[in-house]
């Protein structure tokens, strides 16, 4: 999405807020959804600073209704898209002097209350059974990923971005870069260490030119997708 104002907003989130690539992808998708709706129904564009002041709360509300009734999105997804729109227009208030934020008055849809899901002890043990993992690069990698998730509680994006230099094998500590580029030290256990080292042995002969920047990679040495 190369629209002028949205591109400046995404650049602001990346450079000044330190948002991850995954988060930026979500914001880009949300703004594209709003852009397409406004263009189709009101012939307005988010990229045109002369047209943006004509966007009203009624238009944003109509977009939210279309997401719910026309596209059948869940409340959580709609809330995220509305939050993205609010952040974008708030940025424009500072960037181009937009007088009002048309998304600010829109109430987020209610989230259904659900009980958290969890694994029973036996189900957790099943996850680590040897016969679930192939005797291959992918099998060793997937077991190491599961062991590390279980041992450390890392977020998915944090695990994907983990670099070999972030791992202190002797003290069994990870240097993790989280949201906002904040770093913290996270311990991991012996089982995770053994699984990660077994994966590393499988990885070494297959290492491609890009495999050294990320610890967990695909077989061709490229970083994993979320």
């Amino acid at each position: 999405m190369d629209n002028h104002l949205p591109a400046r907003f995404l650049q602001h989130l990346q450079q000044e807020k330190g948002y991850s690539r995954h988060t930026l992808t979500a914001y880009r998708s949300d703004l594209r959804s709003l852009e397409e709706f406004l263009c189709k129904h009101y012939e307005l564009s988010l990229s045109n600073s002369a047209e943006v002041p004509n966007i009203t709360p009624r238009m944003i509300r109509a977009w939210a209704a279309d997401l719910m009734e026309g596209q059948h999105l869940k409340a959580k997804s709609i809330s995220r898209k509305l939050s993205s729109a609010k952040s974008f227009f708030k940025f424009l208030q500072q960037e181009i002097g937009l007088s009002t934020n048309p998304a600010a008055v829109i109430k987020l849809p209610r989230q259904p209350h659900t009980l958290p899901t969890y694994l029973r002890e036996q189900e957790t043990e099943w996850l680590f059974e040897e016969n679930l993992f192939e005797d291959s690069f992918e099998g060793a990698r997937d077991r190491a990923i599961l062991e590390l998730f279980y041992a450390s509680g890392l977020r998915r994006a944090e695990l994907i971005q983990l670099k070999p230099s972030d791992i202190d094998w002797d003290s069994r500590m990870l240097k993790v870069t989280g949201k906002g580029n904040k770093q913290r030290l996270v311990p991991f256990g012996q089982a995770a260490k053994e699984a990660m080292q077994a994966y590393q042995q499988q990885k070494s002969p297959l290492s491609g030119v890009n495999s050294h920047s990320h610890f967990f990679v695909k077989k061709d040495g490229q970083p994993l997708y979320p």
Side-chain angles (χ1 to χ4, degrees):
M1 183 177 180
D2 57 358
N3 292 336
H4 185 53
L5 293 179
R8 282 160 59 182
F9 172 62
L10 293 171
Q11 185 178 38
H12 163 76
L13 295 182
Q14 181 181 31
Q15 297 180 354
E16 299 185 30
K17 298 292 186 179
Y19 284 8
S20 69
R21 183 175 59 180
H22 176 69
T23 302
L24 293 173
T25 299
Y27 271 96
R28 184 179 292 107
S29 173
D30 297 340
L31 293 180
R32 183 183 294 115
S33 171
L34 176 57
E35 172 86 24
E36 291 174 352
F37 180 84
L38 291 173
C39 181
K40 177 180 179 180
H41 295 279
Y42 302 102
E43 297 184 353
L44 293 174
S45 171
L46 293 180
S47 63
N48 191 327
S49 58
E51 295 182 4
V52 166
N54 296 325
I55 300 173
T56 66
R58 181 177 62 83
M59 297 176 186
I60 304 298
R61 192 175 289 110
W63 172 53
D66 180 70
L67 294 174
M68 181 180 295
E69 298 171 6
Q71 302 183 38
H72 305 291
L73 295 188
K74 294 182 179 180
K76 184 177 181 180
S77 296
I78 297 172
S79 292
R80 192 200 72 191
K81 291 182 182 296
L82 285 173
S83 294
S84 296
K86 289 181 180 182
S87 297
F88 173 66
F89 289 118
K90 183 178 180 180
F91 167 78
L92 293 187
Q93 287 181 293
Q94 301 173 343
E95 187 75 4
I96 65 172
L98 186 67
S99 59
T100 59
N101 185 334
V105 297
I106 309 301
K107 293 183 178 180
L108 300 180
R110 288 186 177 183
Q111 302 284 345
H113 295 286
T114 57
L115 294 175
T117 57
Y118 61 92
L119 294 177
R120 300 182 186 277
E121 183 178 357
Q122 187 178 23
E123 291 172 328
T124 303
E125 292 175 354
W126 287 341
L127 284 177
F128 295 97
E129 287 186 353
E130 292 291 341
N131 59 7
L132 291 180
F133 302 93
E134 296 181 1
D135 184 16
S136 63
F137 168 81
E138 287 91 348
R141 180 199 61 200
D142 293 348
R143 183 181 182 90
I145 287 175
L146 196 59
E147 287 279 8
L148 189 56
F149 268 140
Y150 181 73
S152 65
L154 293 183
R155 297 184 180 93
R156 179 180 60 185
E158 293 172 342
L159 183 137
I160 289 175
Q161 294 301 320
L162 196 66
K163 297 176 175 57
S165 59
D166 295 330
I167 305 171
D168 186 333
W169 296 105
D170 293 332
S171 61
R172 297 205 304 265
M173 297 290 289
L174 304 174
K175 183 176 68 176
V176 178
T177 303
K179 293 183 177 180
N181 282 331
K182 294 181 179 179
Q183 292 188 332
R184 68 185 191 279
L185 293 177
V186 177
F188 59 94
Q190 183 63 27
K193 177 180 178 179
E194 293 174 0
M196 291 162 67
Q197 289 180 330
Y199 155 69
Q200 193 172 40
Q201 291 176 357
Q202 291 269 4
K203 174 185 174 184
S204 297
L206 300 170
S207 294
V209 293
N210 297 320
S211 66
H212 302 290
S213 60
H214 294 80
F215 182 69
F216 291 110
V217 295
K218 297 188 295 182
K219 196 170 183 177
D220 61 2
Q222 296 296 319
L224 297 178
Y225 293 103

